[in-house]
Amino acid sequence: MERYEPVERRIIVFAGTSEGRLLYEFCAVHGIRAVFCVATEYGKQVLCNVETSHSPHLTGKGITVCRKGVPSPEIRVGRLEEAGMSALFQEERPAMIIDATHPYAVEVTEQVRKAAARYQQARRIQEQVYYRVLRSLTEPEDAAGQETDLEKMAVRDDDKKSDVIYCPDMQQAVAYLNHTQGNILVTTGSKQLDELCKLNGYADRMYLRILPNPDMLQKCLDKGVPAGHLLCMQGPFSTEMNTALIHENDIRYVLTKQSGRAGGYQQKVEAARQCRAGLVVILPPREAEGVSVKEMKEILLRCL
């Protein structure tokens, strides 16, 4: 692939999703000067499967490189609140601030948006600075309009004999599952572990699929989730893998987020249908404005 000379204007990207990884590789290949912010060291590893190079012809010291051997953008690790974001913007003075965080990371998105607006006002920048990268969801648009009353949320698929329950948040999902029996495969991660532990008999019923992160694993163990109920894996997963986990652990319900193709959502839907397991889906928050990864790449090339 053709290499581009690095540009002078700098961007800041809040990453941690497949969209962030795509933008990371794009910036590396096109020589775009960028700072990528991730919350954890594991997020850094996932971002680009980083390696260390000691190539003297590059810098004379160890640098981070992509697998293709292209010098990578800078990666900064650590959770930032709004004040920390503002300080970073003042330090780097970016031409663009890109939010490529998870669709469900509502609080982070709001903090990035506010800090970016304050930075733009302080610097008196006329051009657009903040961009929100949205994940493409292929599911029906009217799914978000499902009733949230627990007695009205069930949608019967007569051909496959499985229930699909749409919930606006984890609290509603747990409330519904507390009226059920049988094992639950949780594929939403451990971020809302406190809410998940409100499941009746969670230590016996819940099988939690999480990223292979030691801190995350310890947090689950400290909450009393048995080690045998923790499935530490990096996704997304095939239908066959999901089906195997459902059969192996006698799963009656699969709890997931409507995370689109990048999150392997359709594979979970299909596995639940094949196994005749109920599917409990937490809907994403509504976002009125944003651009796709493809559109963001075009903007970067056009503006930088």
Side-chain angles (χ1 to χ4, degrees), residues 17-28 36 47 262 293-294 297:
T17 62
S18 56
E19 291 79 15
R21 293 195 296 272
L22 291 171
L23 290 174
Y24 182 89
E25 181 178 1
F26 181 82
C27 288
F36 278 71
L47 195 63
V293 172
K294 180 180 179 181
K297 291 177 179 180

Side-chain angles (χ1 to χ4, degrees), residues 246-259:
I246 292 172
H247 282 310
E248 181 69 23
N249 298 294
D250 192 24
I251 299 298
R252 295 289 302 277
Y253 292 90
V254 177
L255 175 60
T256 183
K257 294 177 180 177
Q258 194 184 52
S259 51

Side-chain angles (χ1 to χ4, degrees), residues 49-190:
N49 292 325
V50 293
E51 300 172 353
T52 300
S53 170
H54 295 275
S55 305
H57 66 281
L58 292 175
T59 63
K61 59 181 180 180
I63 64 168
T64 301
V65 298
C66 286
R67 286 178 296 173
K68 294 182 179 180
V70 179
S72 75
E74 179 183 350
I75 302 175
R76 296 196 183 186
V77 180
R79 300 184 187 278
L80 292 176
E81 301 294 335
E82 187 177 334
M85 295 173 185
S86 295
L88 176 63
F89 299 160
Q90 291 300 324
E91 173 190 348
E92 297 294 336
R93 298 186 179 182
M96 288 184 186
I97 298 166
I98 302 173
D99 177 9
T101 57
H102 198 279
Y104 291 81
V106 180
E107 293 182 6
V108 175
T109 288
E110 185 61 22
Q111 290 174 341
V112 176
R113 193 190 306 274
K114 288 181 178 179
R118 186 177 296 110
Y119 164 75
Q120 182 171 4
Q121 183 178 15
R123 299 284 300 170
R124 298 181 180 179
I125 302 173
Q126 299 299 317
E127 299 84 3
Q128 182 175 349
V129 172
Y130 172 83
Y131 290 87
R132 173 62 170 143
V133 176
L134 300 180
R135 175 170 295 180
S136 175
L137 297 176
T138 59
E139 291 68 48
E141 293 182 1
D142 61 355
Q146 293 287 342
E147 295 284 351
T148 57
D149 187 280
L150 293 181
E151 295 180 354
K152 298 180 180 179
M153 287 194 299
V155 179
R156 172 68 68 182
D157 183 338
D158 291 328
D159 293 332
K160 297 295 184 180
K161 306 298 183 187
S162 68
D163 290 333
V164 180
I165 309 300
Y166 295 99
C167 300
D169 52 37
M170 182 65 78
Q171 184 177 7
Q172 290 266 4
V174 169
Y176 171 78
L177 288 167
N178 275 336
H179 289 81
T180 67
Q181 295 181 342
N183 292 342
I184 305 164
L185 175 61
V186 178
T187 67
T188 59
S190 65

Side-chain angles (χ1 to χ4, degrees), residues 1-62:
M1 183 178 293
E2 181 181 358
R3 285 286 308 281
Y4 289 71
E5 289 301 318
V7 297
E8 291 302 319
R9 303 180 74 191
R10 197 169 180 86
I11 68 171
I12 292 177
V13 182
F14 290 88
T17 62
S18 56
E19 291 79 15
R21 293 195 296 272
L22 291 171
L23 290 174
Y24 182 89
E25 181 178 1
F26 181 82
C27 288
V29 170
H30 289 77
I32 296 174
R33 295 181 65 236
V35 175
F36 278 71
C37 298
V38 295
T40 64
E41 283 290 339
Y42 183 79
K44 175 181 177 180
Q45 296 171 16
V46 172
L47 195 63
C48 193
N49 292 325
V50 293
E51 300 172 353
T52 300
S53 170
H54 295 275
S55 305
H57 66 281
L58 292 175
T59 63
K61 59 181 180 180

